[in-house]
């Protein structure tokens, strides 16, 4: 069955039932001009949105629709996590090529629905339209947080310690495997592809960090560690020193790097889509934050550097020398800087 | 200057300053993982989203970028208006072909910014990504309303009178002129093209209707009068009788119909994108609602029919006969039902 046969309203009817996730405070989900949420005093609301475009952010042949739907929601939940918030409502806009199989989009919805249900988000409607050629997914997520427990990018101060919650670089390695830039040894590919296609939004971790009041700034790693750290530095008007040896690399990445002959640290610093949380902690809260992670039975965070007067980001290398870093992240619009699907696609135009 | 030269962050820097519209309650607009809004007790939050795709919803050659930006926000504000709400924050996602002139997108932003400023909306950030070929715009708008003053589609009851705020059919006539399906007499085209390209979201009218407590259901006309009335009927589990002679047609549309030989009523009933408000009023509030419009110095609403037991929609024609109507709206996915830009575009594939 093609989309052209069922139409927008036919499709909406087919998924409406399974999208009705009961969430406290949600007065109306799908089925009106807007979704409606009750407002609670003492809390602030958080809004975020992310757009995924076929052949730029994903290729149909490289990710199952279920995982794609899941990921599209996950990356938005990660932004809510980065402020210390709780995601509540999700709005889904899809531009769908007319010849798409309805079943494929139902799989996409199933992925979105499952992650929403897991984290207690309501699906508050959206927009379903035709596309001349590419599938485009736009998700907006609305969340909330306790009024004085929101963590901005702008709160870091000189002397603060910089932490990251877990391994970086696995996702970009997965992307490079998917696009055949790296050929992994037998049996090693799936770990990295999973890191790329199934990111886990660290909602509980983000809430615990923010609620503790121990951190000063936070961001999620979507553009790449250096690029995202630069956002914190710019918004906080500070600089940073990163310890090369402290960047957490997975054993798998080190192994892959050995066999494929690349520097895993480069991937970890500039690759995007890790969706770990990067946060800063005033020196006097160092023990407190480590205790917090223990109490919540979370993997201890990695202390990777410290905030300085700045400006700019410097890196202390293994030999003790210090290098000024030009932060590099994705510039989706620049062919020479691109490290993702579009390279192959747009070059053929 | 092309997008490929300036990049996402360069572009965001170039528009950041002008997007900083101060709105009460908005703690953080652009520049963090989420925008942040303070929450007020006694109010509910409203969320809506709409996606516009190049060559489906608009053609670059048929609408200036400024108007396109304005319209993309306006259609979302109209959804907030249809619930009786006040729009507060706007999230902007753009997928931009890499060879697009930066100036074009700045014009788009200027249009979005101007309508946001006019209606007191903050720009709460968004996402700017590359597109392989088509420009895609997704806007989400967050609004609020007094808790017990939200108007749903589901509130209509048999006996209620059906009103529409103004002329219908002008927008679809504008679309047909833009796509050369209708050739207007000298000097008449611009009125209809403006109706299509510059819709006015009836935010104040919607709020006044909802705040009065006199209406029972409301929707904005985006899919087409019959299709949108059908939404009210289905959600309210009622039917409707529409008086053909009472459908408000502009003098311009009647004149155009005469010269171009089409039935203006057909356009008015099935054409979309009028962004008028369609609402139902219990019989005992009829005088009240008409008084309300006078008090607020608004054009009187048009009483076009009444709600019945249903199901279905019937039309009373000029000769007194009654016709069962098959509601027709856009099915963007069905080539045979399409009445918009995609017809020409997709047929060439």
């Amino acid at each position: 069955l093609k989309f052209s046969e069922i139409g927008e309203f036919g499709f909406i009817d087919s998924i409406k039932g399974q999208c009705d996730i009961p969430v406290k405070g949600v007065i109306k989900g799908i089925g009106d001009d807007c979704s409606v949420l009750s407002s609670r005093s003492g809390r602030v609301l958080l809004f975020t949105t992310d757009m995924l475009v076929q052949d730029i952010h994903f290729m149909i042949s490289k990710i199952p629709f279920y995982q794609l739907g899941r990921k599209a929601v996950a990356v938005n939940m990660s932004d809510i996590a980065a402020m210390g918030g709780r995601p509540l409502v999700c709005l889904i806009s899809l531009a769908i090529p007319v010849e798409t199989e309805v079943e494929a989009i139902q799989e996409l919805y199933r992925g979105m629905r499952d992650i929403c249900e897991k984290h207690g988000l309501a699906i508050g409607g959206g927009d379903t339209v035709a596309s001349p050629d590419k599938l485009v997914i736009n998700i907006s997520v609305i969340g909330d947080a306790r009024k004085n427990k929101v963590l901005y990018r702008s709160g870091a101060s000189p002397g603060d310690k910089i932490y990251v919650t877990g391994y970086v670089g696995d996702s970009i390695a997965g992307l490079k495997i998917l696009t055949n830039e790296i050929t992994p040894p037998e049996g090693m590919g799936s770990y990295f592809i999973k890191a790329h296609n199934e990111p886990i939004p660290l909602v509980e971790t983000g809430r615990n960090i923010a609620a503790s009041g121990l951190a000063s700034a936070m961001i999620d790693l979507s553009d790449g560690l250096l690029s995202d750290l630069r956002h914190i530095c710019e918004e906080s008007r500070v600089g940073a020193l990163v310890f090369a040896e402290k960047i957490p690399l997975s054993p798998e990445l080190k192994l892959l790097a050995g066999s494929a002959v690349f520097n895993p640290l480069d991937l970890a610093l500039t690759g995007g889509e890790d969706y770990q949380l990067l946060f800063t902690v005033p020196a006097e809260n160092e023990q407190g934050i480590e205790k917090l992670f223990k109490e919540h039975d979370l993997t201890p965070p990695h202390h990777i550097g410290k905030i300085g007067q700045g400006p700019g980001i410097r890196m202390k290398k293994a030999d003790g020398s210090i290098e000024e870093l030009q932060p590099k992240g994705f510039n989706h619009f620049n062919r020479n800087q691109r490290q993702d699907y579009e390279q192959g696609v747009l070059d053929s135009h």
Side-chain angles (χ1 to χ4, degrees), chain A:
Chain A
L1 196 63
K2 309 275 190 194
F3 244 90
S4 48
E5 299 165 86
I6 188 172
E8 176 181 358
F9 297 127
F11 174 72
I12 290 170
D13 283 345
S14 86
I15 50 115
K16 211 171 175 177
Q18 63 166 323
C19 289
D20 199 13
I21 304 166
V23 173
K24 201 182 155 194
V26 174
I27 300 163
K28 183 84 194 173
I30 290 184
D32 215 303
D33 296 297
C34 299
S35 66
V36 183
L37 179 72
S38 64
S39 162
R40 292 208 291 152
S41 58
R43 296 188 80 83
V44 293
L45 293 148
L46 309 172
F47 311 117
T48 187
T49 194
D50 261 305
M51 189 177 259
L52 303 184
V53 181
Q54 181 184 347
D55 296 336
I56 300 289
H57 302 92
F58 62 91
M59 287 183 83
I60 295 293
S61 61
K62 305 289 188 189
I63 184 167
F65 280 97
Y66 180 87
Q67 285 184 5
L68 179 59
R70 207 199 145 281
K71 180 171 177 175
V73 175
V75 301
N76 280 281
M77 290 174 58
S78 181
D79 280 318
I80 300 281
M83 308 288 284
R86 173 181 65 167
L88 294 170
V89 180
C90 164
L91 304 177
I92 300 163
S93 295
L94 300 176
I96 304 167
V98 290
E99 295 307 307
T100 307
E101 295 286 342
V102 171
E103 211 173 70
I105 305 302
Q106 283 168 340
E107 269 296 288
L108 189 82
Y109 255 90
R110 211 167 57 79
M112 296 191 289
R113 198 207 96 89
D114 281 1
I115 193 167
C116 282
E117 193 172 41
K118 186 180 171 188
H119 290 269
L121 275 76
I123 296 180
D127 197 13
T128 309
V129 301
S131 172
D133 44 11
K134 306 292 183 189
L135 175 64
V136 182
I137 305 169
N138 192 89
I139 306 285
S140 298
V141 171
I142 295 99
D144 75 351
R146 272 174 59 196
K147 199 165 191 162
N148 299 315
K149 296 293 184 186
V150 176
L151 274 177
Y152 296 92
R153 296 176 179 180
S154 53
S157 298
D160 288 0
K161 293 172 186 289
I162 306 169
Y163 285 87
V164 66
T165 47
Y167 297 139
V168 285
D170 287 345
S171 173
I172 183 79
L175 175 60
K176 283 176 183 287
I177 290 168
L178 284 170
T179 56
N180 301 317
E181 269 188 84
I182 294 177
T183 308
E186 183 81 22
M188 273 191 67
S190 60
Y191 168 84
F192 297 101
I193 291 170
K194 189 172 175 181
H196 187 69
N197 284 347
E198 289 186 38
I200 295 164
L202 300 177
V203 178
E204 285 308 311
T205 307
R207 289 179 68 185
N208 286 329
I209 294 169
S212 74
L214 295 167
S216 51
M218 188 153 64
I219 194 169
D220 68 319
L221 296 185
S222 54
D223 294 327
L225 195 149
L226 287 186
S227 187
D228 290 316
L229 178 55
R230 183 177 56 150
H231 291 317
I232 284 191
C233 288
E234 287 179 353
E235 295 294 327
S236 301
R237 295 160 191 266
V238 294
L241 177 68
V242 170
F243 313 133
E245 289 184 299
K246 298 289 183 66
I247 303 294
L249 307 177
S250 68
E252 289 83 355
L253 187 66
K254 289 178 191 164
L255 203 61
L256 179 72
S259 74
V261 197
F262 63 85
N263 182 351
L265 188 61
D266 283 350
L267 291 199
L269 291 174
T270 62
E273 300 203 66
D274 291 308
Y275 301 106
Q276 299 292 343
L277 296 173
L278 181 79
F279 58 99
T280 59
V281 176
E284 66 268 29
N285 295 340
E286 186 178 358
Q287 290 189 323
I289 203 85
E290 286 170 10
K291 195 171 153 221
L292 177 83
F293 273 68
K294 268 200 202 101
E295 277 170 8
H296 288 91
D297 205 19
L298 298 165
T299 314
H302 304 263
H303 172 206
I304 62 161
K306 63 178 181 193
I307 297 294
Q309 296 290 347
I313 299 177
R314 294 174 306 140
M315 189 168 69
K316 189 169 185 177
K317 299 207 271 194
D319 62 9
S321 68
I322 292 202
E323 186 189 355
E324 291 283 336
L325 293 177
Q326 279 301 322
K328 282 174 277 187
F330 286 161
N331 172 1
H332 279 293
F333 294 97
N334 188 315
R335 222 165 276 202
N336 300 323
Q337 286 185 35
R338 279 198 302 260
Q339 279 291 338
D340 52 359
Y341 299 111
E342 62 197 324
Q343 194 104 28
V345 175
L346 290 179
D347 284 358
S348 70
H349 276 217

